[in-house]
Each structure stands twice: as structure tokens, then as C-alpha cells.
Amino acid sequence: MSTPDPSKMKLDCPEKNECLKMLQAILDGEATADQKDHFLKHHLEECMPCYKNYHLEVAIRQLLKTKCCQDAPQQLVDDIKAKVIQNLAS
Amino acid sequence: MEDLPKQHYTEAEKQTIFHGEFMPHINSMYNFAYRLTLDSDDAKDLLQDTYLKAYRFIESFQKGTNAKAWLFRILKNSFINDYRKKSKEPSKVDYQEVESYYNSEEVDRQITPDLRVEALKDMIGDEISNALNALDVDFRTVIILCDLEGFKYEEMAKILDIPIGTVRSRLHRARNLLKEKLSEYAKQMGYKTA
């Protein structure tokens, strides 16, 4: 996706909500190649609200991944392994 | 995950599956448990119960199939059966009611938060985590499964025992709600929404 020229873009999208659903499907890896191609190569280039929405969706996902994942405490991992070994023995 | 014929494993095979296929997902599983219960002690108990259950029912797991989805489903069911009931949270609004409300087209028109990427870049603290935790647990769950864990809609449908169409619409509502929360934070941070 190239950086589009804002002066040539639509400022409003009549299909904004449908487009949002489509771009979420694309980012979720659930859209077909055709849908992806049409949306990313054509629609986004000419539609400002959808272009912004796309970048917002991407940014939120990145933020979620960097801020909302935490590892299990090592003590807990060890406890679980120990309990299962105990189970095996019994 | 489906009703596969029961497998027969030797003790050594069970160990191999447990350590080789179940344990590698422990961090994702812990995170899921923590985000569901919002309490680190409950999360520990839930995770431990889930892994012991997974071990006990290991013969319902077919080697080479999606262990992560299988484990997530057990954890989600344990949460519903054992934790949701005793949860300290006030009694929930009827979920059906919430879902039909958020499925109405009305809401789509109302929830169009004008949140900007620049505002997100300044959310370097717990804003996103708090926003996620503030969502109703069913909405929180689909975001975790999809955006944090990368499950496909079909896998999510199996983990949650809901139709794939419901996965899609619930995810869409969940993201709108998350954006709404994030715009509130953005406003508090001094970002003007257009």
C-alpha cells in the first residue's frame, strides 16, 4: 500500500461501517485474496475515513500485543509440572 | 476438541504430549486466565486446574491436532463453571440483552469514536490494558482470542461453542467498545476528538 495523496481522497465513506468490517476481516486473515486486493489497493487509496480506520486498527492491535500479554510466573509453571509428575507416580 | 474416539497413550506418550504440546502454551494460557478472572490468585488456580484437567483427559486429545485451541476451550469452560459463579463482580446484565443491543444497527451509527493513532502512541501506561479489562467478559474474550492469540474465527467458534457469525459480530462490537474506551482516555489526555 503506497501513501495516498490526501487531496485526491474522499472525505466521507457511505459504506464506512461495512468497510470497517471488511478491513477487520482482512487484518484477521479471514478475507479472500480478491477482497484484500480490492480493498487495500483500491479503496484505501481513495477513501480518507477508511485509510485512517485501517491505521487505527493496526495500531490498536500492536498496542494490545505489546501491553496486554504477560508470562506465567515461573513458580506456577514449576508447580504445575510437579503436580503432573506426582499424578503420574500415583 | 470434537468427539473424537478416545486415544490410547502409554505413560511415556502422555508425558511427551503434556510437555511437548501442552506446556509450550502456558504463557498464553496464563494470560487468558488472568484476563478472564482479573485476579492473579484466581488466574493461578484456574491455570493449574486447567492443566490438571488437560492431563486427566489427555486421551480425548488427538496427537498432532490443535493443542492450543483444545486447551483454551478447557480453560474457558472451567472459568464459566467454576469461577464465573463465585466471581466478585456484581451480577451481570443479561448477556442476550447486551448482545442484541450491540447488534442493532443503531449502535453502529452511535459508536464511531474518532480516535487517532497519535493518541494511541502516547498510551504508554496501562490504558489499553485497563480498557480491555473494562469490557464485559464475553467481549474481552474474543479480543484476546483473536488479537492477542491469533485464533481464526473457526477456531474461536469451537473454543466458545458459538456460531462463526456470532464470532464475527461479537468481535466487531468488542472492537467498537474498546475504541470507545480508548477515546475516553484520549480525551482525558487532552486529545480533542473531532
Side-chain angles (χ1 to χ4, degrees):
Chain A
M1 195 174 55
S2 55
T3 310
D5 176 358
S7 66
K8 290 181 187 149
M9 294 172 91
K10 287 185 295 173
L11 294 178
D12 195 23
C13 181
E15 304 285 319
K16 199 170 161 184
N17 198 46
E18 284 313 304
C19 286
L20 182 59
K21 286 181 184 165
M22 175 54 68
L23 75 84
Q24 287 177 348
I26 290 170
L27 290 170
D28 294 344
E30 301 278 349
T32 65
D34 276 356
Q35 287 172 323
K36 218 171 144 174
D37 208 53
H38 170 80
F39 195 85
L40 296 182
K41 289 200 183 139
H42 301 283
H43 186 72
L44 279 200
E45 302 273 306
E46 55 185 38
C47 184
M48 188 57 95
C50 293
Y51 180 81
K52 282 188 176 169
N53 266 339
Y54 178 82
H55 288 280
L56 187 63
E57 289 288 322
V58 172
I60 292 176
R61 281 156 209 249
Q62 281 169 350
L63 198 57
L64 279 167
K65 280 204 170 162
T66 49
K67 293 282 179 186
C68 299
C69 292
Q70 52 196 325
D71 286 354
Q74 191 55 46
Q75 185 61 51
L76 179 63
V77 176
D78 295 342
D79 285 352
I80 289 174
K81 282 186 187 162
K83 285 226 164 93
V84 166
I85 290 166
Q86 248 173 40
N87 254 309
L88 277 171
S90 64
Chain B
M1 198 173 321
E2 290 90 301
D3 292 324
L4 293 163
K6 224 174 163 199
Q7 311 292 307
H8 295 285
Y9 299 126
T10 62
E11 290 304 313
E13 280 173 322
K14 286 183 188 174
Q15 278 240 47
T16 309
I17 294 171
F18 191 84
H19 292 285
E21 301 203 44
F22 295 176
M23 287 309 282
H25 303 294
I26 199 149
N27 287 327
S28 292
M29 289 278 283
Y30 174 76
N31 198 48
F32 187 35
Y34 177 73
R35 295 279 160 191
L36 288 176
T37 57
L38 301 178
D39 180 284
S40 56
D41 287 333
D42 283 348
K44 284 178 189 168
D45 290 346
L46 178 56
L47 188 70
Q48 190 158 302
D49 288 354
T50 304
Y51 267 87
L52 291 178
K53 241 179 240 176
Y55 186 75
R56 204 175 329 130
F57 296 107
I58 204 161
E59 296 194 320
S60 317
F61 172 75
Q62 196 177 20
K63 250 197 290 190
T65 60
N66 191 337
K68 187 177 175 184
W70 190 78
L71 291 169
F72 266 68
R73 187 167 186 261
I74 299 177
L75 194 146
K76 182 247 9 178
N77 286 335
S78 301
F79 170 69
I80 291 175
N81 295 331
D82 305 336
Y83 291 84
R84 220 170 169 174
K85 278 178 218 146
K86 68 164 195 185
S87 150
K88 284 158 244 155
E89 292 174 59
S91 63
K92 291 274 189 233
V93 222
D94 179 359
Y95 182 65
Q96 287 300 327
E97 210 173 281
V98 175
E99 185 136 71
S100 60
Y101 172 73
Y102 284 110
N103 275 329
S104 67
E105 287 300 315
E106 274 308 289
V107 177
D108 276 340
R109 254 172 267 131
Q110 288 163 20
I111 304 177
T112 46
D114 194 7
L115 181 64
R116 290 183 307 177
V117 173
E118 302 85 80
L120 289 180
K121 296 223 165 100
D122 282 344
M123 293 186 185
I124 51 173
D126 296 332
E127 295 90 351
I128 184 99
S129 180
N130 292 341
L132 178 64
N133 292 352
L135 297 183
D136 182 274
V137 69
D138 293 291
F139 291 121
R140 207 187 309 147
T141 300
V142 288
I143 292 198
I144 297 165
L145 296 181
C146 191
D147 295 347
L148 296 182
E149 301 302 336
F151 282 112
K152 309 306 288 178
Y153 294 171
E154 207 184 324
E155 293 167 334
M156 291 170 68
K158 286 180 188 161
I159 293 170
L160 302 174
D161 297 300
I162 55 177
I164 202 163
T166 309
V167 169
R168 206 177 286 121
S169 61
R170 196 177 290 177
L171 200 47
H172 182 71
R173 309 302 145 183
R175 286 174 174 148
N176 275 344
L177 292 166
L178 185 69
K179 276 184 242 173
E180 211 180 39
K181 296 262 177 232
L182 292 174
S183 342
E184 285 168 25
Y185 292 129
K187 245 182 249 172
Q188 287 164 17
M189 289 160 71
Y191 281 94
K192 287 196 181 71
T193 48

